[in-house]
């Protein structure tokens, strides 16, 4: 991962560059990094603020496994979380479905976008945004819900070190996912998760569920206890998640 590496000062979105390069034959593991994005995007077409000082990066994965694709956002969030805990001793946690939070505030997010030909998946781009060396208090759109590594730690972080640790961690996690059952990965998710035991309101394309997020059923499904009993929600169907503390 990262043997093919593109670093740009500014772009619309690193996902756009990775998709274009994927269509021109770029290899599995390509990493695209930008210092700033002018049209960064989050899940559900939301804008993603990408000022200088952040880590805006996309990894190209060539896979034909749809199960792998649907697990990627959670694995991406897990990789970032583990890297932040291990290298910076930050109290980072995964927040289902694709966030990394510290004390309930978002510090990173993941956006996977897939391309298929017929019913064959050709590639997935996994975009990751980490609020690193800038102050989210100065950005109205995210000042109430997000934080950054420099705010948490009180000093700037070494971006190159954080990036390389995220990539190494993610590479190991993806190897585990390829070679072993998802159960091992699920144990690690549970260890670093902050979502279980919290009240959520989840909107899917079909319904809205209010209740307690009880546990992960798999890497792509969670169980929510509602007034009317337990429901299993597939990450893929989720339009929005509101946490009680949000
Ligand atoms: C989310 O939490 O909604 C996902 C945010 C993903 C942001 C990253 S930054 C790098 C890559 N390029 C983008 O335009 N988006 C992702």
């Amino acid at each position: 991962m990262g043997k093919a590496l593109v670093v740009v000062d500014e772009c619309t979105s690193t996902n756009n560059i990775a998709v274009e390069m994927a269509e021109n034959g770029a290899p599995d593991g390509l990493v695209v990094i930008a210092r700033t994005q002018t049209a960064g995007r989050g899940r559900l077409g939301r804008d993603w603020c990408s000022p200088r000082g952040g880590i805006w990066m996309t990894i190209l994965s060539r896979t034909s496994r749809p199960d792998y694709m649907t697990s990627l956002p959670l694995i991406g969030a897990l990789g970032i979380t583990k890297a932040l805990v291990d290298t910076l001793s930050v109290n980072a946690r995964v927040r289902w479905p694709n966030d990394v939070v510290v004390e309930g505030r978002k510090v990173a997010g993941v956006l996977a976008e897939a391309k298929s030909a017929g019913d064959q998946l050709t590639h997935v781009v996994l975009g990751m945004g980490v609020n690193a060396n800038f102050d989210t208090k100065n950005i109205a759109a995210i000042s109430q819900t997000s934080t950054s590594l420099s705010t948490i730690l009180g000093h700037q972080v070494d971006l190159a070190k954080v990036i390389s640790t995220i990539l190494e961690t993610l590479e190991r996690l993806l190897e585990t996912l390829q070679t072993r059952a998802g159960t091992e990965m699920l144990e690690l998710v549970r260890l670093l998760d902050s979502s279980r035991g919290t009240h959520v309101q989840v909107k899917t394309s079909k319904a809205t569920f209010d209740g307690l997020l009880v546990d992960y059923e798999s890497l792509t499904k969670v169980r929510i206890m509602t007034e009317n009993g337990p429901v299993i929600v597939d990450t893929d169907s989720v339009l929005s998640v509101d946490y009680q503390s949000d």
Side-chain angles (χ1 to χ4, degrees):
M1 197 175 277
K3 287 198 184 102
L5 176 67
V6 173
V7 181
V8 298
D9 185 58
E10 181 179 300
C11 65
T12 53
S13 159
T14 50
N15 274 24
N16 290 349
I17 298 183
V19 166
E20 197 179 314
M21 291 187 71
E23 283 166 1
N24 288 308
D28 179 62
L30 163 78
V31 174
V32 181
I33 300 173
R35 292 197 172 82
T36 180
Q37 301 181 118
T38 54
R41 58 181 177 270
R43 283 188 77 230
L44 309 166
R46 293 185 186 128
D47 291 339
W48 180 262
C49 294
S50 317
R52 288 176 190 278
I55 296 172
W56 320 125
M57 141 166 108
T58 300
I59 297 161
L60 169 64
S61 169
R62 291 201 175 277
T63 174
S64 52
R65 288 176 48 185
D67 58 323
Y68 189 77
M69 154 66 197
T70 44
S71 316
L72 269 182
L74 186 66
I75 306 289
L78 178 64
I80 297 171
T81 303
K82 190 164 163 33
L84 297 183
V85 170
D86 290 351
T87 54
L88 299 172
S89 302
V90 165
N91 192 22
R93 291 291 175 266
V94 174
R95 186 173 64 184
W96 178 78
N98 65 336
D99 290 348
V100 180
V101 294
V102 175
E103 313 296 349
R105 284 180 169 255
K106 183 157 169 168
V107 76
V110 177
L111 173 69
E113 295 176 312
K115 178 84 192 278
S116 40
D119 52 7
Q120 276 295 309
L121 202 58
T122 57
H123 63 254
V124 183
V125 296
L126 186 67
M128 299 189 285
V130 184
N131 301 336
N133 293 335
F134 64 90
D135 199 340
T136 53
K137 285 193 200 82
N138 303 328
I139 305 172
I142 57 171
S143 62
Q144 298 301 311
T145 53
S146 299
T147 188
S148 68
L149 296 176
S150 58
T151 304
I152 297 159
L153 293 166
H155 60 79
Q156 304 249 309
V157 297
D158 180 340
L159 293 184
K161 191 170 163 208
V162 177
I163 290 169
S164 63
T165 314
I166 291 173
L167 292 176
E168 280 162 22
T169 308
L170 206 56
E171 193 162 59
R172 276 200 301 277
L173 292 176
L174 291 175
E175 271 164 23
T176 307
L177 188 66
Q178 299 263 21
T179 52
R180 289 181 234 156
T183 46
E184 188 171 324
M185 193 70 70
L186 211 48
E187 277 316 303
L188 193 52
V189 172
R190 288 192 178 107
L191 208 63
L192 290 174
D193 168 77
S194 71
S195 331
R196 288 170 309 151
T198 50
H199 275 93
V200 289
Q201 185 183 69
V202 180
K203 290 192 179 130
T204 71
S205 45
K206 295 196 179 121
T208 298
F209 303 108
D210 276 293
L212 192 72
L213 198 157
V214 180
D215 200 3
Y216 290 84
E217 286 286 303
S218 69
L219 290 171
T220 59
K221 291 184 175 70
V222 291
R223 185 166 72 254
I224 295 169
M225 183 56 79
T226 70
E227 268 179 12
N228 303 320
V231 290
I232 307 295
V233 177
D234 199 318
T235 306
D236 252 7
S237 68
V238 171
L239 296 181
S240 70
V241 184
D242 286 321
Y243 280 84
Q244 203 178 41
S245 56
D246 280 359

